[in-house]
Amino acid sequence: MPIVTSAEFLRREFDYLIVGGGTAGLAVAARLTEDPDITVGVLEAGPIVDGDAAVSIPGCYGESLGTPLDWQFQTTPQPGLGGRVLNWPGGKVLGGSSALNFMTWNRGNREDYNAWEKLGNRGWGWNDLLPFFKKTEHFHPKGPRSQDEYQEHFDPRALGIDGPVQLSYARQYSPSHKLWHETLNALGGRHEQAAPFGVECRVVEEIELRPEGDEWAACGVKFKHENEQHSALALREVILSAGSVQSPRLLELSGVGNPKILSRAGIQTKVESPCVGENMQDHFMTAMIFEVDPTLENPDDLKFSADAKTAALDLYHKSQTGPLTVLPCSICYVPFQHFVPPETLAVAQATIARIDGYSSEERSIRSQRFGPQARVGQIEYIFDLGNWNPFFKPQPLSGKKGSTHIKPATPTDTGSTGIRQSGGVMGSPAIDPQYYCGQHGELDLELMVHCARFAHKICDAQPLASIIRSRASPPAVASQSTANGENNDDEAWRQWLRENTISDWHPVGTCAMGGRKGIEAGVVDARLRVYGVRRLRVVDASVMPLQISAHLQATVYAIAEKGSSMILEDRLPRRHV
C-alpha cells in the first residue's frame, strides 16, 4: 500500500475512506481495490514496520507490547480486582493488533455464530460465515508424520486453500506439547490488486456528518497530521475499522451516541444511539506458574541469556527453525459440564434469568450455555513452558517456569468504553470492562474458582505432571485440599483471582449489530451500517454482539471479508461534491 504525504492524500478523490489500518481495515481495503475503478484511502495512526523482530519473528511474541507500536491504553480502576488498573494493549501500527498478538488462529464454535443470527442478525450464522473464513485462508498442511506425532487434526473441507493469509501449524513445538494432549485425553477433555493509498496521521478526530435528506450522512474524516488539521472526503462511504475501543469513541466524537454522555463532553448530539460504547465483552485470564524440569528447552532461556538469544536469531535467519519458531499452542476448550457441579450450573442459569439488561433472546442464549446439553468450550486452557505473558510477574523462582493460562471463553460480564471521564474526549478513552462486578461479575468469579481448580487438576495429572516440580502461583493457601481432594477454601481462590486476573485483550461488542431490536440493542444493522447515519459502516470486532469461544483474529478477518462483500454489493452512488 503506497504511503503518501498528507498533501498528496488530500489531492485525491476517494470512493471509500477507511479509518484504521489494522486487521479489518487493511483486509477491507485490499478487497475493495480489487476493482480498479474504486479508490480507497486508509488513515492509520501508526507507522509501517518492516524487519522488526518483535513483529516478524514468531518466538518474539510479546516484545512489542508497551512499545511505540502499542497504544498502551489502560482501564479505569476495577473494583472487582481490588481497584487495580490494567494494561490494555492495542496495535498502533500498520496491521493493527495482528502485528502485536501471539499468532493464534482459531474459529469459534458453530453455536457462537448461530447465536448472532438468533438475535436477528440475518446472514451471520455459521453456514453464512464459513465461506468468508475460507476466503481469507491459504492453509499449508504439514506431512503425515507431523500430523500423527503432534495430533494436527483438521478437516480440509473447512479450510481455505487460496486466500491471502498463509496458515500452518507451528514449525516446532515445545517439549511439553505432546504431554498436554495425552493429559487432556486422559482426563476426558475436548480439543475443540489495485492498491489503496495510506497516510500516517497523528489521530482521526471526527467523522464529518452532513444533513442528507432527513438523515445525517458521512462525507469525510477530520484528522491531524504534523499538528495540522485536515479534512478528507469520501464520495461513497466512510468505514470505521478502528477496533472495539476506538470505533465507538470516534462515533461519540462525531455526535453519535448517548446524549447524556455527549452533553457532558460538550458534543452536539446528531444521532441518539444509546448503545455506542456499551456491551463490551472481553476475554479475561489468569495464570498458574510452576517450576518445571530444568533440563527441558524453555523459551525463558532466551530472555535471560544473550548468547542463547543470539544463537536462536542466527538459526532463525539461516533456516527459519529453532526455538524462535515455537509458539504457546497447547490449547484446549472445555465445556463447564465437564468439571462444574450440576447444582452450580443450575444456579448460574437462575442468575442469568435475573440479570437486567439482557433481551429475552440473549438471556435464552446465555442460559443455554449452562444447560446439561451445552457442548461449547466455555473455558480455554493453555499450557506451555516459560512465563510467556509479560504482564504476569510472580515472585522470582529458583528454577525454570511453566504456566497454565485460564480464560473464560464466553464470560457474562459487560463493560463500556468511550468518552466517559475527564480527559476522555481527546485524551485516552475510558475503558471499564467491569471484571467480577455486579451480578454478571459475581457469576464469572464463582465459575473461575471451579476453572482454577480444574487447571490444578490438569497439571497434577500424568504425563504432564512428570515435568512439573512445584507450583509458585497461587500460593499454597489457595490449594489446600480436603481428604477427598476437593478444595473448600473458596475465599482464598477468589482473592487470588482478584489479584491476578488481567485482560486477554479480546474486546468485542461496543458497536454491536442490533438484530431485531435495532438501535435499542446495538449500533449497526446486519449490513454493518450505523443506525441513523447514511454512508457510514463499522467493520471490526466491535460489531460482534456476543463474545466467541476463540481468539478473535480469524473471526475479524471473516467479518472484514463479509463486510467488504456487502459494501461492493450495495455500491452506493458517488456523492456530488
Side-chain angles (χ1 to χ4, degrees):
M1 181 175 75
I3 304 299
V4 298
T5 66
S6 58
E8 292 175 298
F9 191 84
L10 294 169
R11 280 198 295 268
R12 298 181 184 274
E13 289 189 338
F14 296 105
D15 291 296
Y16 300 95
L17 280 177
I18 299 176
V19 181
T23 306
L26 291 186
V28 172
R31 289 304 185 192
L32 295 183
T33 53
E34 288 177 347
D35 184 335
D37 293 329
I38 290 177
T39 307
V40 176
V42 178
L43 296 105
E44 167 56 42
I48 294 179
V49 173
D50 187 21
D52 187 330
V55 173
S56 61
I57 296 180
C60 295
Y61 52 82
E63 292 183 10
S64 56
L65 301 179
T67 73
L69 304 182
D70 178 3
W71 279 101
Q72 300 183 51
F73 292 141
Q74 291 186 317
T75 67
T76 59
Q78 294 297 292
L81 303 181
R84 288 190 294 130
V85 172
L86 303 184
N87 293 307
W88 194 284
K92 190 178 182 181
V93 57
L94 198 66
S97 293
S98 62
L100 270 65
N101 67 18
F102 290 10
M103 300 182 69
T104 303
W105 186 275
N106 61 348
R107 302 172 187 165
N109 187 281
R110 174 189 296 267
E111 291 307 313
D112 291 328
Y113 307 107
N114 288 344
W116 298 0
E117 192 163 51
K118 288 177 183 176
L119 292 174
N121 299 297
R122 185 177 178 183
W124 287 92
W126 169 258
N127 290 336
D128 292 297
L129 269 176
L130 181 58
F132 295 104
F133 278 112
K134 295 173 67 174
K135 188 177 181 180
T136 298
E137 300 170 339
H138 187 147
F139 178 62
H140 301 268
K142 293 167 69 178
R145 179 177 177 181
S146 180
Q147 293 174 27
D148 180 65
E149 184 175 3
Y150 295 106
Q151 300 189 41
E152 298 169 344
H153 305 306
F154 58 91
D155 182 351
R157 297 170 299 177
L159 294 166
I161 58 173
D162 56 6
V165 179
Q166 309 298 310
L167 305 177
S168 70
Y169 287 99
R171 178 159 291 188
Q172 294 181 217
Y173 296 90
S174 75
S176 65
H177 185 71
K178 286 194 290 186
L179 304 180
W180 172 257
H181 285 289
E182 293 175 26
T183 300
L184 266 294
N185 289 334
L187 290 173
R190 294 175 55 195
H191 308 304
E192 303 245 270
Q193 290 299 336
F197 291 89
V199 63
E200 183 182 336
C201 56
R202 177 177 172 269
V203 61
V204 173
E205 296 183 325
E206 183 181 342
I207 308 301
E208 292 194 87
L209 305 182
R210 294 178 184 171
E212 188 174 284
D214 59 350
E215 285 189 299
W216 292 92
C219 61
V221 174
K222 288 183 180 179
F223 67 96
K224 272 191 175 179
H225 180 73
E226 296 179 348
N227 294 322
E228 292 186 6
Q229 191 175 70
H230 305 281
S231 292
L233 298 180
L235 300 181
R236 297 185 193 268
E237 294 188 55
V238 175
I239 301 159
L240 263 179
S241 295
S244 292
V245 171
Q246 300 278 46
S247 284
R249 179 167 173 264
L250 284 170
L251 286 176
E252 291 176 328
L253 292 173
S254 308
V256 181
N258 185 324
K260 293 181 180 178
I261 293 171
L262 300 184
S263 177
R264 288 198 298 265
I267 297 173
Q268 175 196 354
T269 299
K270 296 175 181 175
V271 176
E272 185 173 338
S273 186
C275 296
V276 171
E278 304 296 332
N279 190 47
M280 174 185 278
Q281 301 161 60
D282 183 37
H283 287 150
F284 53 85
M285 64 179 175
T286 190
M288 290 182 176
I289 309 298
F290 300 88
E291 288 192 31
V292 297
D293 185 343
T295 66
L296 298 176
E297 188 176 72
N298 192 305
D300 283 351
D301 297 343
L302 306 186
K303 297 178 184 177
F304 305 117
S305 170
D307 290 342
K309 182 68 176 285
T310 299
L313 283 169
D314 288 343
L315 183 59
Y316 181 84
H317 290 306
K318 287 177 181 176
S319 61
Q320 294 202 329
T321 59
L324 287 176
T325 66
V326 176
L327 289 162
C329 56
S330 299
I331 299 174
C332 73
Y333 289 82
V334 183
F336 284 143
Q337 287 74 10
H338 191 75
F339 59 87
V340 177
E343 57 271 21
T344 301
L345 295 178
V347 170
Q349 282 190 303
T351 301
I352 291 293
R354 295 193 304 269
I355 292 177
D356 295 331
Y358 292 153
S359 67
S360 59
E361 293 164 323
E362 184 176 350
R363 185 175 288 111
S364 174
I365 290 167
R366 288 180 177 273
S367 178
Q368 289 171 11
R369 291 172 174 171
F370 300 102
Q373 304 305 316
R375 291 295 179 265
V376 173
Q378 293 138 319
I379 180 70
E380 177 187 8
Y381 293 106
I382 306 178
F383 180 89
D384 223 315
L385 300 178
N387 177 24
W388 43 267
N389 190 303
F391 296 123
F392 280 118
K393 299 186 184 299
Q395 293 297 317
L397 306 181
S398 58
K400 293 186 179 182
K401 306 180 190 72
S403 51
T404 297
H405 284 204
I406 309 162
K407 310 178 188 182
T410 53
T412 63
D413 60 2
T414 58
S416 63
T417 187
I419 52 173
R420 285 162 170 74
Q421 66 177 12
S422 176
V425 176
M426 292 310 297
S428 295
I431 302 170
D432 186 11
Q434 288 284 301
Y435 301 127
Y436 301 155
C437 283
Q439 289 179 295
H440 311 69
E442 291 171 6
L443 176 57
D444 284 336
L445 182 58
E446 291 308 303
L447 291 170
M448 276 291 280
V449 170
H450 292 280
C451 296
R453 288 177 181 159
F454 190 67
H456 176 71
K457 183 176 181 179
I458 293 172
C459 294
D460 204 33
Q462 294 294 346
L464 189 60
S466 66
I467 65 169
I468 293 175
R469 297 293 179 260
S470 62
R471 196 177 74 199
S473 179
V477 67
S479 59
Q480 293 173 351
S481 300
T482 61
N484 64 2
E486 294 297 322
N487 188 311
N488 288 331
D489 197 350
D490 285 356
E491 187 51 41
W493 279 106
R494 293 188 195 103
Q495 186 61 30
W496 177 74
L497 288 165
R498 292 187 192 102
E499 293 172 352
N500 289 276
T501 293
I502 67 169
S503 172
D504 196 28
W505 324 308
H506 291 167
V508 306
T510 52
C511 295
M513 292 183 282
R516 273 179 287 274
K517 295 182 72 68
I519 201 169
E520 295 179 17
V523 178
V524 300
D525 65 13
R527 296 192 74 78
L528 308 186
R529 298 171 298 201
V530 175
Y531 292 125
V533 185
R534 295 177 180 173
R535 301 182 181 273
L536 179 61
R537 300 192 205 225
V538 181
V539 186
D540 57 31
S542 71
V543 305
M544 297 163 58
L546 291 170
Q547 185 60 275
I548 60 171
S549 53
H551 294 240
L552 300 187
Q553 184 170 214
T555 298
V556 172
Y557 273 109
I559 290 170
E561 293 281 15
K562 186 173 177 66
S564 57
S565 177
M566 292 189 295
I567 292 166
L568 291 170
E569 288 170 0
D570 294 346
R571 199 176 297 236
L572 300 182
R574 290 185 173 100
R575 292 185 306 106
H576 296 292
V577 179

